[in-house]
Every structure is written in C-alpha cells, then in structure tokens.
Amino acid sequence: RSPAAGTRRHAASTKAAAATTSAGLRRYGYVRGLPCVRRCLSCVNAAPVPPTGLPMLDRSLFDFNCVDLQGSRVPLARLRGKVCLVVNVASVCASAARQYRFLTKIHEDFRGRYPPGFEVLAFPSNQVDGGEPWDDTMLLEHVRVRHRALFPVFGKVDLNGSTADPVFSFLKRHPRLSCAALTTQNFTKFLVDTDGQPVRHYHSGLQHRYLNGIRADITSLLDGERLKRGKRRTPSPPKGLSIRDSWGD
C-alpha cells in the first residue's frame, strides 16, 4: 500500500466523522462547538456534549436568573407553572406605543383570569436599530409612567452574537422552534408553556387577526391544550400596505 493511499483513506474517514457529528449536533439543537474529531471513526457514535452542560430539551425558561431595572437578581423559577410571553422591547420605535398597549392589555386580561397564571416578560435591547438607548433609570420611568406597564421589565440585554443573553440564546436555539438564529425585529415574541418550553415564535405584527391569534394561543395554553409548535404565520397585509407598514417596524 502506498503512503498516498493511506493518507487519502485517513482524510476520507476524518471528513466522514466530522460530517456525521455535525449533523447530530444540528439535529439536537447544539449549535456551537464540535467535539474533537479523532483519526478514526470511533468518536462518531459518541454522544455530543452541548456547550451549556445540559441538553436544551432538559432545560426550561425557569432555570435562568435575570436582573431587573433596579439591579436586583430575579430567579425565573418563581414563575414556574405559568404561561409566559417573552418580548424584546424598545422605546425608540415607531410601533412602541401600540406594542406596549397590546402587551399591557393581554397582561391585564389573562393574569388573574386563569389558575395557571400568565406573565409578560419584557427585555429591553439596544441591539436592533438602536431602539433602546436609555439607561435603566430613564427606562423604568418611561415604561411605568408613559406606557403604564405593570408587567416585569428586566435590564437591557443583547439578543444576538456572543454576548446574547442566555434566555434568548435558549429560546432562539430551542429545537422545538423553527425561528431564525438572529432576532432582527423589536418586539419579537416567544410564547412559553407551563413547563418552561417555548412553543410559538411571533414577529412584531400588529394586524388585528395576527394579535387575535396570539391571544388565542395564550388562551389555549391556559386551558391546558397543546399547541402545534412553530411560528405563527403572519397574514398578508391589507391592500396598499407593505409588510413593513402593517408590522409597524
């Protein structure tokens, strides 16, 4: 056997191991990092280890801790058993007033009406079009006084990249959702069930039937029904309006 033939066989087996391991990672939602690919196929069948230390399906929203606008640590475990709507909010946004009105309305309507309980969890971010330039003190006054929002609002976070908040990394990369890896709109919403697992992903649509669809999904979860996991399809905008106009962003 020639040395060249041995080199080709080694390269082929290494490439096959890398492809198989990468496919397994993508299938189970492990986006970052690959296990070392050895010079044989023995590591192909080894179970990949997620970088977070726990498989995503074994984690829940209630495993995380956040920081509120006063700088206090807030364990989300206190919300265990509730249906939650996680939203990235922004103050300097054309649709901010309408979005806050919708969030305040559903928070008031659903919070005390059903036994499981419901919470809107707002996370300000300046990462999308510079939509949240204010500091936490000004932001707290703006949210409580101008928008009269009584739901929890946390400190500013990043949504994308290596500095992304762990909550949004968990939601976006969860294998039960089919959303994009990047959050590119203000007021993107994630619906989380009573087990802390995301079941729906919504863009920032403001059409009545789209918002009514979100309300219907929340009602279904509070009634103990199962939702088909994925992203609610945004309806086509009315004639004369573009998608951007109808979404308000």
Side-chain angles (χ1 to χ4, degrees), residues 55-64 76-86 116-117 119 121 166-177 190-200 221-222 226 229:
M56 288 192 180
L57 288 175
D58 290 342
R59 307 194 78 188
S60 79
L61 177 69
F62 309 129
D63 294 332
F64 296 95
L76 297 185
R78 65 176 60 175
L79 302 175
R80 193 177 301 276
K82 292 187 176 184
V83 174
C84 297
L85 188 70
V86 181
E119 284 287 355
L121 306 179
V167 168
F168 281 87
S169 295
F170 165 73
L171 294 173
K172 293 187 301 176
R173 294 172 181 167
H174 200 284
R176 292 181 175 179
L177 291 186
F190 297 87
L191 185 60
V192 180
D193 64 16
T194 54
D195 295 324
Q197 302 300 317
V199 292
R200 281 286 169 87
L221 283 183
L222 290 172
R226 279 184 166 275
R229 297 179 177 89

Side-chain angles (χ1 to χ4, degrees), residues 11 55 95 103 121 127 172 177 180 183 185 210 230 235 244:
S95 63
L103 296 175
L121 306 179
Q127 205 172 28
K172 293 187 301 176
L177 291 186
T183 301
Q185 290 182 329
Y210 190 58
R244 192 174 183 86

Side-chain angles (χ1 to χ4, degrees), residues 66-70 122-125 136 139 153-157 165:
C66 300
V67 178
D68 63 17
L69 289 174
Q70 289 88 6
F123 290 82
S125 178
D136 287 352
L139 181 57
V153 181
F154 298 98
K156 289 169 66 173
V157 299
D165 186 82

Side-chain angles (χ1 to χ4, degrees), residues 14-28 30 33-37 43-49:
T14 302
K15 184 177 180 180
T20 307
T21 307
S22 177
L25 286 173
R26 288 195 301 271
R27 177 181 178 186
Y28 291 103
Y30 307 142
L34 289 174
C36 63
V37 179
C43 62
V44 172
N45 295 324
V49 179

